[in-house]
Amino acid sequence: MISKSFLVENNESFFIQNDKILFYGENVGLINDFKNNIRKTLEEYICINLHQEEIITNQNTLSNEMQHASLFNDKKLVFVNNATDKILPALELVLEIETENKLIIISSTLDKKSKLREIFEKSKKFQTVPCYPDNELNIKKILFNKLNGYQGLSSQNINMIINCCSNDRVKLNNELDKIKIFFANKKI
């Protein structure tokens, strides 16, 4: 099932309700924001970060993490980073398992022919969230939300920030972090 990223972005219940989610696309900043939101929303879960190479090397790694409970906590949040179609054999062992653990798959751009993308899009149990590049309107919206309450924020300042980040959310978040550090008193 496909979900729009702008609907998922501010919907914490989406992460609670869905056990297996695929995030893919070229918007690394948006994917990073999703990862941070998932960690905050599901803070009672223990985070496990795996990479595709680990899963290919040992096909049981993913199934072991998904099937077995943690010693310290009952629930795990398993992130599979840099995923491509190469992890499908290991993934097929895990997708139908019913567990309290959650699986989050992170991938770069996937073509329409991708089997990984096809499995998640056609399933009614799994979610797919494409992360397309931000436009100037999205960047402005993020800027206004994160700098809400700052005094002295002019349209010239906003345009300067937008020009510096050139519609890249990672650069925007870096610029916003700098602003929050330098202007801790919220006066620009």
Side-chain angles (χ1 to χ4, degrees), residues 126-141:
F126 314 138
Q127 292 291 331
T128 306
V129 182
C131 299
Y132 299 116
D134 287 313
N135 57 27
E136 191 172 325
L137 187 63
N138 289 355
I139 296 294
K140 274 188 178 179
K141 191 178 183 183

Side-chain angles (χ1 to χ4, degrees), residues 108-156:
S108 60
T109 306
L110 296 172
D111 337 292
K112 290 188 177 199
K113 297 177 188 175
S114 168
K115 294 287 183 193
L116 178 62
R117 179 176 166 181
E118 182 181 325
I119 289 170
F120 274 80
E121 284 180 350
K122 288 187 177 180
S123 172
K124 295 201 184 298
K125 293 189 229 176
F126 314 138
Q127 292 291 331
T128 306
V129 182
C131 299
Y132 299 116
D134 287 313
N135 57 27
E136 191 172 325
L137 187 63
N138 289 355
I139 296 294
K140 274 188 178 179
K141 191 178 183 183
I142 294 166
L143 228 160
F144 283 121
N145 286 340
K146 295 213 176 171
L147 294 181
N148 188 15
Y150 278 77
Q151 297 173 355
L153 188 64
S154 68
S155 58
Q156 183 182 5

Side-chain angles (χ1 to χ4, degrees), residues 4-19:
K4 304 284 185 191
S5 62
F6 66 90
L7 295 174
V8 174
E9 205 166 0
N10 297 318
N11 184 2
E12 291 180 358
S13 65
F14 178 84
F15 306 125
I16 296 168
Q17 295 169 350
N18 295 294
D19 294 334

Side-chain angles (χ1 to χ4, degrees), residues 19-105:
D19 294 334
K20 295 172 179 82
I21 308 170
L22 167 67
F23 293 99
Y24 74 90
E26 54 193 86
N27 193 339
V28 176
L30 179 58
I31 291 173
N32 289 339
D33 286 351
F34 279 132
K35 286 168 89 173
N36 292 333
N37 288 343
I38 292 169
R39 284 186 185 113
K40 286 178 190 170
T41 304
L42 304 172
E43 61 186 18
E44 71 274 8
Y45 285 70
I46 290 180
C47 289
I48 309 287
N49 279 302
L50 299 174
H51 291 276
Q52 175 176 281
E53 296 78 31
E54 295 174 71
I55 295 169
I56 292 171
T57 304
N58 184 358
Q59 299 237 339
N60 294 328
T61 304
L62 184 60
S63 61
N64 288 341
E65 291 294 347
M66 288 300 293
Q67 288 178 2
H68 303 292
S70 169
L71 293 174
F72 305 107
N73 198 338
D74 294 337
K75 303 174 195 173
K76 292 182 191 175
L77 179 59
V78 180
F79 286 96
V80 177
N81 298 295
N82 307 325
T84 64
D85 287 347
K86 292 179 183 178
I87 66 162
L88 282 177
L91 198 59
E92 287 172 349
L93 299 172
V94 174
L95 288 178
E96 297 305 321
I97 295 173
E98 292 296 323
T99 178
E100 284 189 304
N101 299 332
K102 295 191 182 284
L103 177 65
I104 310 296
I105 300 175

